[in-house]
Amino acid sequence: MLEMNEMTKHLMLVASSVDNYCKYLNRNPNDYSSILGYIYRVYQDKIKHLSPQGLALLLMYLKNVNESDYGKHIDVYKDKVDGIIKKSKTLDEQFKKMDKLKNKI
């Protein structure tokens, strides 16, 4: 049996959360792997405190954003996604609250 380090465990939890969001939104989860890889390389210091589900929710909102604008979007969402998840009873509530933030960008 292979032992997983903490980063591998974290990435697997993020991937699982992305998969759940994608099933709910009827999207392809493979569309998010390159975004995740990029933000881990470039913005790791900004996202390191996010829960796996919070990071997955953030990824859903970076899909149609230019890479050059990721930093701006991450700055808006990074301190709010986990709170939105905790305060929302449904995925619909999460997306409505995220949409309100998106409109402020």
Side-chain angles (χ1 to χ4, degrees), residues 18-41:
V18 166
D19 188 58
N20 288 336
Y21 282 127
C22 286
K23 285 178 183 171
Y24 183 77
L25 297 170
N26 197 28
R27 294 182 182 172
N28 184 348
N30 295 326
D31 292 344
Y32 297 89
S33 59
S34 63
I35 299 169
L36 178 60
Y38 182 83
I39 65 169
Y40 257 108
R41 284 189 309 278

Side-chain angles (χ1 to χ4, degrees), residues 42-57:
V42 179
Y43 299 105
Q44 187 170 10
D45 58 321
K46 291 185 177 190
I47 62 167
K48 65 183 174 188
H49 72 281
L50 294 178
S51 70
Q53 187 178 358
L55 183 53
L57 183 58

Side-chain angles (χ1 to χ4, degrees), residues 8-101:
T8 303
K9 289 178 188 177
H10 183 78
L11 290 173
M12 288 183 69
L13 291 171
V14 172
S16 176
S17 294
V18 166
D19 188 58
N20 288 336
Y21 282 127
C22 286
K23 285 178 183 171
Y24 183 77
L25 297 170
N26 197 28
R27 294 182 182 172
N28 184 348
N30 295 326
D31 292 344
Y32 297 89
S33 59
S34 63
I35 299 169
L36 178 60
Y38 182 83
I39 65 169
Y40 257 108
R41 284 189 309 278
V42 179
Y43 299 105
Q44 187 170 10
D45 58 321
K46 291 185 177 190
I47 62 167
K48 65 183 174 188
H49 72 281
L50 294 178
S51 70
Q53 187 178 358
L55 183 53
L57 183 58
L58 173 64
L59 288 174
M60 296 295 111
Y61 283 82
L62 293 178
K63 172 73 170 82
N64 295 313
V65 171
N66 290 325
E67 277 183 4
S68 60
D69 292 329
Y70 283 176
K72 178 172 64 171
H73 287 259
I74 290 169
D75 286 341
V76 170
Y77 295 127
K78 68 180 171 127
D79 295 327
K80 297 176 179 65
V81 288
D82 285 325
I84 286 172
I85 291 166
K86 288 177 186 172
K87 294 176 184 174
S88 299
K89 293 180 179 146
T90 66
L91 293 180
D92 277 334
E93 280 184 49
Q94 288 179 22
F95 291 117
K96 284 178 186 174
K97 291 175 183 176
M98 289 292 287
D99 286 342
K100 285 181 184 178
L101 286 177

